């Protein structure tokens, strides 16, 4: 298996791309999708395997800079990071790369170069195409389609994985359909959505011929440095007064701000987390009843909810449950944080479950937000639950 | 042109009146839809706080039957922040330079809010 390096996608693909198979990132115009191929390339190379990057629309030096922008240092990968230069020939520039296509408008020339690079690789690797659409523009649609079949067969011989970035410009219907459905073993659609009022970008699996395709769509965000992150636009943190909501938001976040007066949150806590391929914006509500109108206002469109409870203060549990109602959280993935486990008299998660009469499908997890105990475990649990929802 | 691009256009047009250092469109519940930032900062937090302010202001006045505020204006020594509703779902907020005149900005912001309301 060759991992794509895209968070969540490898899980869905049951580990990655099997050796000798091909994958196309089918990118809708207007979406910054070429990063997918770049991330797969860098992930493979940094794992000690070989990667060939077919540069067709950018100068190889610029390409290394593009990788640098994401914090991916290509120099450290030495000769495992190989570029097939199918660009310099276009502008008549000299190239310092080992593989240079002298006439990028001639598909046979390109094929020759790619085959040579595949043969030379010392073990299975990945061949990533910076932009299949550019090659198609230069060499013609049907010529390119034929060539892809040839490249994919060749990859099979040498156990390489083929990865194409393809932007779905208005080519002929047949060409688009062919790329989406026939020509590769798997296809990942990368698009933008304007569903409701939040705008985002998503990816989903269209096809993968070695498995049953899960019908999942994943929102993502591109961060620099970092690359592609699974993105959750809003996670709500709510709970009664003095349960430790702000502390929890700050413990979880890489950076966070709070509107606190006299030691309590009066408006909201806003935090941002970047953790193991996931990124999320976190909204923490005030807990006191007089701020309920603001709680209601800010809780819309959350994708998941943390209910933070002070485990030593059973009297407030009812208020906690009430806050789930105010925030209209029922039906969303909820994780209950049994906070302040280090204090004397803290109830165990099971005792809390009994007192709240919470069904067992709502996890109750122990935590000590002041020293970050349990907060990331809780985050992972909630994210898994959010990802299970379609 | 997608809705997102149209919203971006509204903001960049708004920026042309000058002295606007940052502008953003967000949902009423504080999620960023589009931002045009000329200052360093985190647009997500900027809009989350703006949405809270506008919501709090609306709650404060409507609790006392004084209607819904047309806008929230915040003045500091370093500039001004104006936040305004743009239809029931969205809001628009701008951050200006200290010497910026409010008159023109309010007129243009009201126009922008109308456009955003139609787009969403």
């Amino acid at each position: 298996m060759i991992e794509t390096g895209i968070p969540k996608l490898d899980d869905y693909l049951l580990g990655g791309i099997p050796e000798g198979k091909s994958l196309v990132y089918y990118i809708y115009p207007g979406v910054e999708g070429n990063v997918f191929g770049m991330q797969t390339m860098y992930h493979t190379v940094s794992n000690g395997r070989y990667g060939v990057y077919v540069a067709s629309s950018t100068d190889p030096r610029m390409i290394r800079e593009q990788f640098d922008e994401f914090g991916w240092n290509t120099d450290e990968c030495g000769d495992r990071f190989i570029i097939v230069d199918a660009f310099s020939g276009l502008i008549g520039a000299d190239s310092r790369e080992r593989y240079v296509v002298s006439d990028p408008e001639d598909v046979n020339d390109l094929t020759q170069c790619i085959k040579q690079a595949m043969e030379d690789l010392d073990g299975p690797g990945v061949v990533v195409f910076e932009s299949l659409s550019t090659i198609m523009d230069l060499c013609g649609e049907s010529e390119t389609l034929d060539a892809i079949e040839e490249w994919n067969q060749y990859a099979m011989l040498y156990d390489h994985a083929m990865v194409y970035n393809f932007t779905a410009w208005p080519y002929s219907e047949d060409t688009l359909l062919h790329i989406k459905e026939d020509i590769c073993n798997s296809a990942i659609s990368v698009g933008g959505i304007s569903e409701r009022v939040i705008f985002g970008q998503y990816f989903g699996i269209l096809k993968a011929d070695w498995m049953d395709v899960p019908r999942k769509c994943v929102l993502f965000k591109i961060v620099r440095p970092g690359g592609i992150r699974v993105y959750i636009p809003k996670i709500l943190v709510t709970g009664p007064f003095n349960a430790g909501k702000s502390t929890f938001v700050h413990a979880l976040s890489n950076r966070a701000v709070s509107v606190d007066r006299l030691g309590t949150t009066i408006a909201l806590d806003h935090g941002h987390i970047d953790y193991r391929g996931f990124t999320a914006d976190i909204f923490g509500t005030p807990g006191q009843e007089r701020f309920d109108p603001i709680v209601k206002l800010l809780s819309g469109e959350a994708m998941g909810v943390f209910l933070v409870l002070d485990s030593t203060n059973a009297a407030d549990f009812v208020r906690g449950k009430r806050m789930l109602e105010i925030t209209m959280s029922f039906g969303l993935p909820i994780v209950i944080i049994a906070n302040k486990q280090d204090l004397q008299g803290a109830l165990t998660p099971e005792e809390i479950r009994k007192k709240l009469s919470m069904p067992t499908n709502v996890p109750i997890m122990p935590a000590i937000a002041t020293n970050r105990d349990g907060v990331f475990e809780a985050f992972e649990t909630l994210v898994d639950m959010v990802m299970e929802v379609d | 042109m997608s809705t997102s691009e149209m919203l971006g256009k509204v903001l960049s047009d708004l920026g042309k009146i000058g002295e606007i250092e940052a502008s953003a469109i967000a949902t009423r519940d504080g999620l960023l839809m589009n931002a045009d930032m000329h200052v360093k900062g985190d647009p997500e937090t900027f809009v989350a706080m703006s949405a809270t302010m506008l919501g709090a202001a609306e709650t404060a006045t409507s609790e006392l039957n004084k209607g819904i505020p047309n806008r929230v204006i915040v003045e500091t020594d370093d500039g001004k922040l104006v936040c305004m509703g743009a239809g029931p779902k969205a809001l628009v907020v701008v951050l200006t330079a200290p010497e910026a005149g409010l008159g023109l900005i309010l007129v243009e912001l009201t126009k922008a809010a109308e456009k955003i309301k139609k787009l969403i």
Side-chain angles (χ1 to χ4, degrees), chain A residues 238-246 260-266 285-292 295 307-313 315-321 323 339-340:
Chain A
T238 193
F241 175 61
N242 203 23
K245 299 176 292 297
S246 299
D260 289 353
R261 291 297 176 268
L262 307 173
T264 184
T265 304
I266 58 161
T285 73
Q288 299 180 75
E289 282 172 47
R290 61 177 180 278
F291 297 119
D292 282 358
V295 175
L307 174 64
V308 182
L309 296 175
D310 176 348
S311 310
T312 64
N313 187 356
D316 272 355
F317 290 177
V318 177
R319 168 70 181 157
K321 219 169 169 182
M323 291 201 73
N339 196 20
K340 307 195 187 180

Side-chain angles (χ1 to χ4, degrees), chain B residues 27-46:
Chain B
T27 61
R28 289 271 184 169
D29 48 23
L31 286 177
L32 182 67
M33 293 163 84
N34 215 312
D36 185 18
M37 306 283 285
H38 302 289
V39 287
K40 228 176 107 61
D42 182 14
E44 275 92 359
T45 307
F46 174 52

Side-chain angles (χ1 to χ4, degrees), chain A residues 8-148:
Chain A
K8 219 62 201 167
L9 183 58
D10 286 320
D11 294 347
Y12 291 154
L13 290 177
L14 309 179
I17 314 165
E19 276 143 17
K21 297 234 180 210
S22 55
L23 177 146
V24 58
Y25 292 117
Y26 189 90
I27 303 157
Y28 289 89
V31 180
E32 197 184 357
N34 286 359
V35 186
F36 278 79
M38 288 170 70
Q39 188 152 333
T40 302
M41 172 79 184
Y42 182 75
H43 184 81
T44 310
V45 175
S46 65
N47 277 349
R49 294 198 181 209
Y50 284 88
V52 176
Y53 198 73
V54 182
S56 51
S57 63
T58 316
D59 186 300
R61 266 166 301 180
M62 291 287 294
I63 285 185
R64 289 175 202 276
E65 276 174 34
Q66 285 176 357
F67 276 84
D68 262 349
E69 249 183 71
F70 290 102
W72 302 332
N73 189 332
T74 55
D75 295 336
E76 280 171 14
C77 307
D79 58 358
R80 294 196 312 278
F81 188 98
I82 299 153
I83 290 183
V84 169
D85 185 353
F87 175 80
S88 300
L90 283 177
I91 55 167
D94 291 334
S95 177
R96 291 181 306 171
E97 305 301 327
R98 185 144 54 117
Y99 302 98
V100 184
V101 182
S102 52
D103 180 8
E105 291 182 63
D106 178 5
V107 79
N108 296 321
D109 206 352
L110 182 63
T111 300
Q112 209 54 50
C113 244
I114 291 169
K115 281 184 174 175
Q116 190 60 53
M118 283 199 240
E119 277 177 39
D120 291 350
L121 288 193
D122 194 8
V126 66
V127 182
V128 178
F129 287 73
E130 183 208 4
S131 169
L132 188 60
S133 354
T134 315
I135 295 174
M136 207 169 256
D137 296 340
L138 292 170
C139 304
E141 291 181 30
S142 59
E143 290 82 351
T144 307
L145 290 176
D146 291 343
I148 297 171

Side-chain angles (χ1 to χ4, degrees), chain A residues 83-383:
Chain A
I83 290 183
V84 169
D85 185 353
F87 175 80
S88 300
L90 283 177
I91 55 167
D94 291 334
S95 177
R96 291 181 306 171
E97 305 301 327
R98 185 144 54 117
Y99 302 98
V100 184
V101 182
S102 52
D103 180 8
E105 291 182 63
D106 178 5
V107 79
N108 296 321
D109 206 352
L110 182 63
T111 300
Q112 209 54 50
C113 244
I114 291 169
K115 281 184 174 175
Q116 190 60 53
M118 283 199 240
E119 277 177 39
D120 291 350
L121 288 193
D122 194 8
V126 66
V127 182
V128 178
F129 287 73
E130 183 208 4
S131 169
L132 188 60
S133 354
T134 315
I135 295 174
M136 207 169 256
D137 296 340
L138 292 170
C139 304
E141 291 181 30
S142 59
E143 290 82 351
T144 307
L145 290 176
D146 291 343
I148 297 171
E149 276 182 45
E150 197 178 339
W151 303 333
N152 286 351
Q153 278 175 355
Y154 219 73
M156 216 145 37
L157 281 182
Y158 290 92
D159 286 335
H160 300 318
M162 301 295 277
V163 173
Y164 302 93
N165 283 328
F166 175 77
T167 309
W169 298 112
Y171 299 104
S172 74
E173 287 291 319
D174 281 353
T175 303
L176 291 177
L177 211 65
H178 215 52
I179 290 195
K180 212 178 192 173
E181 291 178 0
D182 300 330
I183 211 157
C184 289
N185 300 102
S186 59
I188 311 297
S189 69
V190 179
I193 40 169
S194 53
E195 183 196 326
R196 286 200 284 176
V197 284
I198 310 163
F199 301 96
Q201 300 177 316
Y202 71 89
F203 66 82
I205 303 174
L206 291 172
K207 169 190 169 182
D209 65 4
W210 60 89
M211 53 178 275
D212 287 332
V213 173
R215 302 180 62 83
K216 294 263 194 255
C217 259
V218 179
L219 283 175
F220 71 90
K221 196 175 185 176
I222 295 169
V223 295
R224 293 183 169 79
I228 290 155
R229 296 279 190 269
V230 171
Y231 179 48
I232 302 169
K234 189 186 263 190
I235 289 180
L236 202 66
V237 177
T238 193
F241 175 61
N242 203 23
K245 299 176 292 297
S246 299
T247 314
F248 183 77
V249 171
H250 283 262
L252 203 54
S253 304
N254 303 81
R255 53 167 202 272
V257 291
S258 296
V259 185
D260 289 353
R261 291 297 176 268
L262 307 173
T264 184
T265 304
I266 58 161
L268 87 156
D269 308 301
H270 187 258
H272 185 81
I273 176 170
D274 190 5
Y275 180 75
R276 293 196 183 162
F278 292 91
T279 180
D281 284 322
I282 303 182
F283 286 60
T285 73
Q288 299 180 75
E289 282 172 47
R290 61 177 180 278
F291 297 119
D292 282 358
I294 293 188
V295 175
K296 211 178 266 180
L297 171 95
L298 290 171
S299 52
E301 295 181 279
M303 295 177 81
V305 180
F306 285 115
L307 174 64
V308 182
L309 296 175
D310 176 348
S311 310
T312 64
N313 187 356
D316 272 355
F317 290 177
V318 177
R319 168 70 181 157
K321 219 169 169 182
R322 169 84 189 114
M323 291 201 73
L324 289 179
E325 279 167 34
I326 296 172
T327 53
M328 294 169 294
S329 297
F330 290 106
L332 293 175
I334 299 172
V335 171
I336 295 178
I337 307 296
N339 196 20
K340 307 195 187 180
Q341 285 292 320
D342 53 332
L343 297 190
Q344 209 161 28
L347 298 173
T348 65
E350 276 324 302
E351 287 166 328
I352 294 176
R353 182 183 302 286
K354 222 173 266 168
K355 283 202 187 288
L356 278 170
S357 44
M358 266 295 154
T360 45
N361 62 357
V362 177
I364 301 183
M365 303 186 66
I368 308 169
T370 44
N371 56 16
R372 298 192 164 190
D373 270 12
V375 299
F376 292 106
E377 289 82 351
F379 179 72
E380 280 181 42
T381 306
L382 186 65
V383 165

